[in-house]
């Protein structure tokens, strides 16, 4: 059965012709304080950790780096603070050839900060202090209107204010630019805004299992539940859905049919940024080849590569590395 989502609008997207594809990422830029520990501390527990490191992160920045390394021509829209971290965060993006002219400095504000605990098993737990990311506004987006309208793909997440995300999506819609939404982090309490159909009016949504569960209010574990969640997200308005399921790969729902996209077998040492690797690589490949199923396969390779290495941005693969792994299954 083909479900027709409520408020579904058939909106033509323009043919993607730029080479390399133009990807605009609107999102967060953080400094990650990464703590390696035997296990993730439980409430009330104090653990001694072997090491800590300061590294550049943020879902938006990670996905921008992932897309740039996967071969995209990437522009970042975001905000940093006026603290000591800001220059380092922007220089880091520029080193990846990401255009940062739309990354603004916020006076009297700290840059975003994330405390990332990584357990020996590779699992992670993350606390984010938004800082300047919370100040990214619809006016910032309006200033970057032309660059969004000229993009092949707009890639957004929810680590910046939802109104700002919606403002960017509106520009992309008007210009026929394809939108990919990684709905992360998904708030624990579901604010009224999450019931706003406009937030789901995207060409592709790519949650992981726990995000899909939070958004649909149902368990998302078994293959049947994963398919039901994809159908529900499609019903909310997303034209296509790719649910990432860690070492089990991903499930793609195109509105008419679903397909399981097999994972690549790797030894996982740290799954931080696997989802970011997936989203960035997916945006580039989909823009290049207009073949979503193959793009998800390519993104699975990028995700597996990231899971097989330590860290967030350091774990993101270059185009050649992703292709080498991807071709093992072609
Ligand atoms: P997130 O980081 O958002 O939780 P996932 O853990 O689902 O996202 O990972 C994103 C993608 O990365 C998966 O769909 C899968 O293709 C790949 N991936 C993640 N972990 C592994 C793993 N242990 N082995 C192989 N592939 C993995």
């Amino acid at each position: 059965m083909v479900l027709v989502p409520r408020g579904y609008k058939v909106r033509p997207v323009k043919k993607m012709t730029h080479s390399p594809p133009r990807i605009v990422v609107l999102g967060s830029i953080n400094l990650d304080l990464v703590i390696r520990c035997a296990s993730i501390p439980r409430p009330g527990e104090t653990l001694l950790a072997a090491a800590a490191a300061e590294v550049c992160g943020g879902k938006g920045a990670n996905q921008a780096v992932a897309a740039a390394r996967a071969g995209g021509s990437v522009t970042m829209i975001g905000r940093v603070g006026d603290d000591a971290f800001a220059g380092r965060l922007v220089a880091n993006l520029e080193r990846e050839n990401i255009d940062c002219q739309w990354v603004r400095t916020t006076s009297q504000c700290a840059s975003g900060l994330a405390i990332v605990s990584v357990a020996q098993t590779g699992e992670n737990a993350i606390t984010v202090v938004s800082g300047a990311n919370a100040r990214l506004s619809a006016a910032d987006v309006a200033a970057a209107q032309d660059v969004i309208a000229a993009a092949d793909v707009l890639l957004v997440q929810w680590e910046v204010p939802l109104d700002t995300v919606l403002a960017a999506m509106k520009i992309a819609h008007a210009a026929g630019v394809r939108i990919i939404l990684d709905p992360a982090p998904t708030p624990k309490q579901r604010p009224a805004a999450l019931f706003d159909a406009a937030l789901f009016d995207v060409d592709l949504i790519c949650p992981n299992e726990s995000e899909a569960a939070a958004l649909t209010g149902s368990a998302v574990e078994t293959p049947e539940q994963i398919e039901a969640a994809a159908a529900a997200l499609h019903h909310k308005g997303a034209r296509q859905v790719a649910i990432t399921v860690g070492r089990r790969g991903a499930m793609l729902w195109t509105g008419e049919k679903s397909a399981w996209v097999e994972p690549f077998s790797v030894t996982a040492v740290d799954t931080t940024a696997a989802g970011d690797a997936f989203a960035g690589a997916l945006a580039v490949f989909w823009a290049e080849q207009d073949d979503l199923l193959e793009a998800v396969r390519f993104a699975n390779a990028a995700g597996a590569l990231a899971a097989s290495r330590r860290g967030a941005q350091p774990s993101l693969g270059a185009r050649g590395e992703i292709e080498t792994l991807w071709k093992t299954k072609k």
Side-chain angles (χ1 to χ4, degrees):
M1 182 180 64
V2 180
L3 289 174
V4 179
R6 260 182 317 220
Y8 187 88
K9 291 186 205 110
V10 178
R11 208 184 260 118
V13 286
K14 65 185 179 190
K15 209 168 160 34
M16 297 187 272
T17 50
H18 302 110
S19 180
R22 292 184 192 167
I23 314 294
V24 170
V25 181
L26 174 102
S28 59
I29 305 169
N30 293 334
L31 186 93
D32 291 352
L33 184 58
V34 182
I35 300 163
R36 302 201 170 277
C37 35
S39 59
I40 308 287
R42 288 189 301 275
E45 189 180 19
T46 301
L47 291 177
L48 292 178
E54 288 176 6
V55 291
C56 297
K59 276 210 150 290
N62 287 352
Q63 294 187 10
V65 171
R69 290 195 192 157
S73 168
V74 180
T75 301
M76 177 90 210
I77 302 174
R79 273 194 177 266
V80 290
D82 60 356
D83 52 10
F85 297 141
R88 190 165 137 197
L89 292 170
V90 174
N92 172 65
L93 293 173
E94 286 177 338
R95 251 194 318 275
E96 302 284 343
N97 296 318
I98 294 166
D99 183 346
C100 290
Q101 63 172 309
W102 302 107
V103 176
R104 297 263 165 93
T105 303
T106 317
S107 57
Q108 296 185 315
C109 187
S111 298
L113 176 73
I115 312 289
V116 183
S117 301
V118 183
Q120 264 163 8
T121 55
E123 285 173 315
N124 63 58
I126 305 173
T127 309
V128 178
V129 185
S130 294
N133 295 303
R135 308 275 282 274
L136 187 67
S137 68
D140 295 332
V141 166
Q145 178 164 352
D146 292 350
V147 75
I148 297 173
D152 294 310
V153 173
L154 171 70
L155 177 55
V156 292
Q157 322 77 28
W158 286 345
E159 228 169 39
V160 294
L162 294 182
D163 287 350
T164 309
V165 174
L166 282 172
M169 285 170 57
K170 201 168 163 193
I171 295 166
H173 278 316
V177 173
R178 213 165 275 204
I179 302 170
I180 300 178
L181 166 65
D182 181 354
T186 302
K188 274 228 162 58
Q189 276 81 33
R190 296 202 286 161
L194 284 191
F195 296 97
D196 183 347
L199 269 181
F200 295 89
D201 189 6
V202 296
D203 299 284
L204 179 78
I205 189 169
C206 55
N208 65 15
E209 291 155 285
S210 57
E211 289 149 7
L215 292 175
T216 58
S218 315
V220 178
E221 285 154 21
T222 66
E224 295 73 27
Q225 289 169 339
I226 292 166
E227 288 196 22
L233 290 170
H234 178 62
H235 193 61
K236 273 176 177 282
R239 280 173 233 5
Q240 289 151 126
V241 182
I243 299 184
T244 68
V245 282
R247 60 189 165 74
R248 291 190 289 162
M251 212 247 4
L252 174 64
W253 172 279
T254 62
E256 286 169 11
K257 55 184 182 195
S258 60
W260 277 92
V261 189
E262 290 297 309
F264 290 82
S265 177
V266 292
T267 305
V269 294
D270 176 2
T271 60
T272 312
D276 296 334
F278 181 96
L282 180 72
V284 172
F285 197 100
W286 195 23
E288 281 175 359
Q289 309 215 0
D290 209 9
D291 177 345
L292 185 53
L293 182 62
E294 203 52 53
V296 171
R297 197 167 285 133
F298 184 77
N300 271 353
L305 212 51
S308 72
R309 298 168 173 173
R310 289 200 183 284
Q313 290 180 14
S315 75
L316 300 170
R319 175 67 181 230
E321 296 173 307
I322 305 169
E323 271 184 7
T324 301
L325 185 58
W326 168 61
K327 283 178 182 161
T328 60
K329 275 210 196 241
K330 272 190 75 76

